[in-house]
């Protein structure tokens, strides 16, 4: 999660605003005398659910917690970011540190790339014959070997080290990248020797580390790069650089365990497959995948899907607000075997993947005699804690019903058991993983992001974007990027003028896959949609205020003014809708 998202989750806009204005609860909102302009009747509102604010008085503007602090303190986004970070207890690296860090990282990417190229060259050399034979025996094609940049590390202590130092890298850089290790007496040598090398890349295709496999049956079978400034195993998904487009297109990410599972899947045309780098998927990996698709299917060994794994998966379901499915393979088989034997069979397994909660129901109840009271009690003991973890009320109700039917008891008794479990819910501790306090849901806006991605990737749209207001972006990062883009023609300059914390977000917009045709048309459509969204939200806010005013017998002048604003917003909305309709008709005419 980005520092900005973390701040948004931890800071409550109601707390922040109440430092500057006396808030009074009014229905689902809070109201106050506007802290920005002087007034007698409160026309400033805070919306806790949306974590936003709006002034219907002289300001006639609104935004999120960042824009509130910026306006109130008269500071820029960067300063607001630092202020709120401090409040939220989120550490931001300083600009100078960040600059140095960026250069350091850049150097490490380069050194990794150079190492990968060296390993590749060794695979084709005499020394790599055995490794090459191993890969071919595993069924990999030359093209696949090249696509995944597979390589070989020679059986020597200083082969890579010497090569890279000759190329101009320093020993310190190699150590920092985890490519060499310090041995006894401080002498360094290659970390990877006599192994098949799997370069590991991030979503942008930059190599962050390496996986390495022995050529015989010795143990450990695999070793990885250590934790480095670039490589963090818990956040890494092997193959993500080659899988991301397919995951987006197919709206499904399939997660397997091993490097070869990924490679074999891709070679057989299943490109939406990545590996989790360990036995269980982590929160960090889920948040990376979430940007591509919210649908995930885990390929699990039949034994691996225990109740603990299910509990964790349910917490991911809560994050994704979607079901996590499981692809169940026969005991001792992995995707590599299944796909090589019969690619169609794998396709079938993926198609028939079960929601993980259903799967766990099957496994648990299969071993119990549900006609006996003891069997029923055991099923409840094992399954109810899982159902209790489900946050989506409809899905939770579904599984309560399912459990009642399975056990042939009344739904009421199951609900009563759930109610007993609920107060203890806090104690159902997942095996230790990084947990982030999530007080506020992150409101991402796909329309905002799509619109921005179009503008950033297509400079020719600049002319069409006249009259487009920064205000249409509710999300502060998007707003910042849009303003920077308005002021500059070059992406490098846009990037430079933005806070480093926004760079990752900018990068994801710049690399977003957009189909190349009818760009003008697409932009016009999404600009209208964004405007529509803005006006709808504004109308809704005005209406809720009007309702409050009417109840509390607000002044006639205020009511009239609000009514005027409401009519203005409605008129604009009607125009936007008419334009949208016309555009659709126009498209139909073209086709
Ligand atoms: Zn105001």
């Amino acid at each position: 999660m980005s520092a900005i998202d973390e701040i948004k989750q931890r800071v409550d806009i109601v707390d922040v605003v109440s430092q500057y204005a006396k808030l009074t609860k009014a229905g689902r909102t809070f109201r106050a005398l506007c802290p920005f302009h002087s007034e007698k009747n409160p026309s400033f509102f805070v919306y806790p659910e949306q974590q936003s604010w709006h002034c219907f008085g002289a300001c006639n503007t609104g935004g999120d917690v960042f824009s509130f602090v910026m306006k109130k303190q008269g500071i820029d986004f960067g300063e607001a970011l630092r202020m709120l970070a401090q409040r939220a207890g989120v550490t931001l690296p300083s600009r100078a540190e960040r600059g140095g860090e960026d250069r350091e990282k850049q150097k490490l990417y380069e050194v990794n790339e150079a190492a990968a190229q060296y390993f590749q060259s060794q695979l084709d050399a005499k020394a790599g014959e055995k490794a090459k034979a191993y890969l071919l025996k595993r069924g990999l094609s030359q093209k696949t070997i090249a696509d995944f940049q597979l390589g070989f590390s020679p059986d020597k202590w200083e082969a890579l080290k010497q090569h890279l130092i000759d190329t101009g890298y320093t020993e310190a850089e190699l150590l920092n990248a985890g490519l060499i290790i310090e041995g006894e007496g401080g002498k360094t040598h290659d970390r990877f020797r006599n192994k098949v090398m799997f370069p590991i890349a991030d979503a942008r295709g930059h190599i962050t580390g390496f996986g390495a496999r022995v050529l015989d049956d010795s143990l450990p079978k695999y070793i990885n790069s250590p934790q480095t400034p670039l490589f963090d195993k818990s956040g890494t998904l092997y193959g993500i650089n080659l899988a991301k487009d397919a995951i987006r297109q197919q709206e499904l990410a399939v997660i397997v365990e091993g490097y070869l599972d990924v490679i074999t899947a891709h070679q057989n045309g299943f490109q939406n497959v990545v590996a989790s780098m360990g036995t269980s998927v982590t929160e960090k990996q889920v948040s990376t995948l979430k940007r591509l698709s919210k649908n995930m299917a885990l390929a699990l060994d039949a034994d691996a899907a225990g109740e603990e794994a299910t509990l964790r998966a349910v917490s991911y379901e809560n994050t994704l607000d979607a079901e996590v499915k499981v692809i169940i393979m026969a005991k001792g088989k992995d995707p590599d075997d299944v796909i090589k034997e019969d690619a169609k069979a794998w396709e079938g397994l993926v198609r028939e993947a079960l929601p993980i909660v259903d799967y766990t129901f099957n496994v648990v109840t299969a071993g119990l005699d549900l006609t006996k009271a003891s069997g029923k009690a055991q099923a409840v003991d094992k399954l109810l804690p899982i159902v209790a973890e489900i946050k989506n009320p409809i899905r939770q109700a579904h599984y309560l019903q399912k459990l009642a039917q399975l056990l042939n008891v009344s739904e009421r008794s199951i609900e009563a058991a759930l109610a007993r479990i609920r107060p203890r819910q806090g104690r159902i501790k997942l095996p230790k993983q990084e947990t982030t306090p999530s007080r506020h849901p992150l409101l991402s806006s796909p329309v905002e992001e799509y619109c921005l991605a179009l503008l950033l990737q297509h400079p020719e749209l600049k002319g069409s974007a006249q009259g487009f207001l920064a205000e249409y972006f509710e999300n502060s990062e998007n707003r910042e990027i849009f303003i920077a883009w308005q002021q500059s023609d070059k992406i490098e300059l846009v990037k430079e003028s933005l806070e480093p914390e926004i760079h990752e977000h900018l990068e994801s917009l710049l690399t977003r896959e957009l189909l190349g045709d009818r760009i003008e048309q697409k932009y016009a459509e999404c600009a209208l949609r964004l405007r529509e969204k803005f006006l709808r939200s504004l109308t809704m806010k005005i209406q809720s205020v009007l309702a409050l005013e009417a109840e509390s017998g607000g002044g006639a002048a205020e009511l009239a003014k609000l009514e005027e604003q409401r009519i203005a917003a409605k008129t604009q909305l009607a125009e936007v809708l008419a334009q949208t309709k016309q555009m659709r008709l126009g498209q139909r005419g073209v086709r």
Side-chain angles (χ1 to χ4, degrees):
M1 189 175 352
S2 78
I4 296 175
D5 286 344
E6 215 171 325
I7 293 169
K8 282 191 189 164
Q9 287 209 331
R10 291 198 198 175
V11 171
D12 186 358
I13 193 167
V14 176
D15 291 343
V16 173
V17 173
S18 58
Q19 285 187 305
Y20 305 96
K22 195 176 170 315
L23 290 172
T24 336
K25 191 144 178 48
R28 296 162 85 165
T29 64
F30 288 87
R31 71 187 304 175
L33 289 170
C34 179
F36 303 124
H37 79 277
S38 90
E39 60 180 2
K40 287 205 187 74
N41 292 300
S43 54
F44 178 89
F45 287 80
V46 175
Y47 306 85
E49 281 164 33
Q50 289 94 9
Q51 288 290 303
S52 69
W53 61 275
H54 200 97
C55 168
F56 294 97
C59 310
N60 195 20
T61 184
D64 62 8
V65 69
F66 285 96
S67 63
F68 178 82
V69 172
M70 284 159 74
K71 195 167 160 70
K72 186 63 212 158
Q73 301 281 351
I75 54 181
D76 69 15
F77 182 78
E79 288 165 300
L81 180 67
R82 274 176 278 285
M83 217 182 109
L84 290 171
Q86 198 173 26
R87 190 189 169 101
V90 173
T91 325
L92 302 173
S94 73
R95 239 173 201 275
E97 275 167 16
R98 195 69 183 232
E101 213 175 272
D102 282 352
R103 278 193 300 281
E104 182 198 348
K105 282 189 174 173
Q106 205 46 49
K107 198 80 197 176
L108 290 182
Y109 285 128
E110 283 170 25
V111 101
N112 279 339
E113 186 60 47
Q117 282 174 15
Y118 175 75
F119 293 141
Q120 267 183 299
S121 74
Q122 292 305 301
L123 188 66
D124 290 324
K126 181 102 183 66
E129 270 173 2
K130 260 179 82 181
K132 185 71 166 272
Y134 167 80
L135 292 173
L136 295 174
K137 202 183 94 210
R138 294 291 302 246
L140 304 190
S141 71
Q142 285 289 356
K143 180 178 181 301
T144 302
I145 292 172
D147 285 349
F148 282 86
Q149 290 183 271
L150 304 185
F152 173 67
S153 53
D155 195 8
K156 289 185 184 148
W157 289 96
E158 298 198 339
L160 177 74
K161 177 181 157 188
Q162 213 46 59
H163 169 78
L164 290 177
I165 285 177
D166 289 348
T167 322
Y169 294 100
T170 65
E171 204 170 341
E173 283 160 358
L174 303 187
L175 265 174
N176 205 5
L179 292 167
I180 58 174
I181 332 179
E182 223 164 60
E184 275 171 43
K187 199 164 160 30
T188 57
H189 61 78
D190 290 359
R191 175 183 298 272
F192 305 109
R193 296 178 312 281
N194 197 24
K195 299 206 161 58
V196 176
M197 301 301 298
F198 301 85
I200 300 165
D202 61 17
R204 295 173 304 172
H206 294 155
I207 297 173
T208 55
F210 292 88
R213 192 196 192 282
V214 293
L215 285 165
D216 49 23
D217 289 328
S218 62
L219 291 172
K221 231 198 276 184
Y222 285 94
I223 57 171
N224 292 318
S225 290
Q227 177 98 14
T228 74
L230 299 184
F231 188 69
D232 167 20
K233 196 172 156 215
S234 73
T236 297
L237 289 157
Y238 179 69
I240 186 75
N241 53 321
L242 299 172
K244 63 172 195 271
D245 293 343
I247 291 175
R248 242 185 233 131
Q249 276 156 20
Q250 298 172 35
E251 290 183 43
L252 172 69
V254 173
I255 304 170
V256 297
E257 259 176 44
Y259 302 118
L260 282 163
D261 296 326
V262 171
I263 298 173
T264 300
H266 280 241
Q267 178 169 303
N268 285 277
F270 307 115
Q271 254 123 16
N272 60 341
V273 179
V274 293
S276 61
M277 307 288 301
T279 40
S280 59
V281 179
T282 67
E283 189 80 42
K284 270 189 198 162
Q285 291 167 334
V286 171
S287 67
T288 302
L289 287 173
K290 199 172 69 171
R291 287 187 217 138
L292 304 171
S293 164
K294 60 186 205 169
N295 300 313
M296 282 176 28
L298 312 172
L300 292 179
D301 189 290
D303 291 339
E307 288 129 57
E308 194 183 290
T310 309
L311 269 177
R312 194 180 294 134
V314 169
S315 86
Y316 299 148
E317 292 184 325
N318 293 334
T319 309
L320 296 163
D321 197 22
E323 281 177 336
V324 171
K325 295 193 171 173
V326 281
I327 298 166
I328 298 298
M329 288 163 303
K331 232 179 217 172
K333 291 256 164 121
D334 47 38
D336 180 38
D337 306 319
V338 177
I339 296 170
K340 268 193 294 207
E341 265 165 37
D342 181 2
K344 278 261 175 306
W346 168 256
E347 245 173 297
L349 289 179
V350 174
R351 204 171 38 239
E352 284 151 23
L354 273 185
I356 192 158
V357 178
D358 287 291
Y359 174 73
T360 312
F361 266 64
N362 293 352
V363 173
V364 167
T365 53
L368 296 171
D369 181 355
L370 296 182
T371 58
K372 298 221 168 72
S374 64
K376 292 183 185 191
Q378 276 186 53
V380 167
D381 280 350
K382 290 189 164 176
L383 295 174
L384 207 52
I386 291 170
V387 178
E389 281 293 303
I390 301 174
K391 284 220 179 82
N392 182 308
I394 308 287
R395 294 190 49 237
Q396 189 180 55
H398 168 82
Y399 287 110
L400 283 176
Q401 222 168 33
K402 176 167 176 166
L403 189 56
Q405 279 165 5
L406 267 174
L407 305 183
N408 197 19
V409 297
S410 74
E411 262 178 65
R412 238 214 224 149
S413 61
I414 298 285
E415 272 164 23
L418 181 71
R420 281 196 298 277
I421 223 177
R422 262 188 189 130
R424 291 185 291 144
Q425 231 181 55
R427 277 202 268 136
I428 300 177
K429 276 274 178 283
L430 294 176
K432 189 60 205 138
Q433 273 213 6
E434 203 180 321
T435 51
T436 37
S438 60
R439 287 169 56 192
H440 310 297
L442 291 177
L443 302 168
S444 78
S445 165
V447 194
E448 286 190 11
E449 290 179 8
Y450 179 69
C451 234
L452 258 187
L454 274 173
L455 289 175
L456 290 165
Q457 294 184 26
H458 294 276
E460 71 271 18
L461 292 173
K462 200 142 204 168
S464 329
Q466 301 284 343
F468 195 93
L469 301 180
E471 237 188 324
Y472 298 163
F473 294 99
E474 278 190 336
N475 178 304
S476 277
E477 297 103 276
N478 292 338
R479 208 180 268 198
E480 286 294 305
I481 293 174
F482 177 75
I483 293 169
W485 172 85
Q486 275 183 316
Q487 289 162 352
S488 173
D489 286 327
K490 290 217 169 59
I491 293 299
E492 300 83 69
L493 295 177
V494 170
K495 188 168 176 187
E496 232 167 69
S497 71
L498 291 169
E499 288 301 311
E501 280 72 20
I502 305 186
H503 287 177
E504 198 188 323
H505 184 52
L506 176 69
E507 200 67 41
S508 81
L509 295 170
L510 283 168
T511 51
R512 180 166 299 201
E513 187 90 357
L514 302 169
L515 295 177
D517 63 326
R518 299 186 305 118
I519 290 298
E520 288 274 341
Q521 171 88 28
K522 282 179 184 157
Y523 169 72
E525 278 170 22
C526 86
L528 272 178
R529 257 165 55 216
L530 200 50
R531 214 165 147 227
E532 180 189 333
K533 177 167 133 337
F534 169 76
L535 289 168
R536 277 193 196 283
S537 144
L538 182 62
T539 318
M540 186 210 77
K541 284 174 180 171
I542 299 175
Q543 264 157 1
S544 68
V545 175
L546 267 172
L548 280 172
E549 292 284 353
E551 248 171 59
S552 62
E558 273 79 45
L559 277 174
K561 203 161 150 236
L562 275 169
E563 186 56 30
E564 210 176 281
Q565 285 181 13
R566 189 183 71 87
I567 292 168
K570 280 223 115 164
T571 315
Q572 286 182 44
L573 182 59
E575 275 168 26
V576 167
L577 291 176
Q579 283 178 42
T580 308
K581 194 171 165 193
Q582 212 165 17
M583 189 175 287
R584 297 220 170 106
L585 284 174
Q587 274 171 28
R588 221 167 288 159
V590 170
R591 273 171 203 160

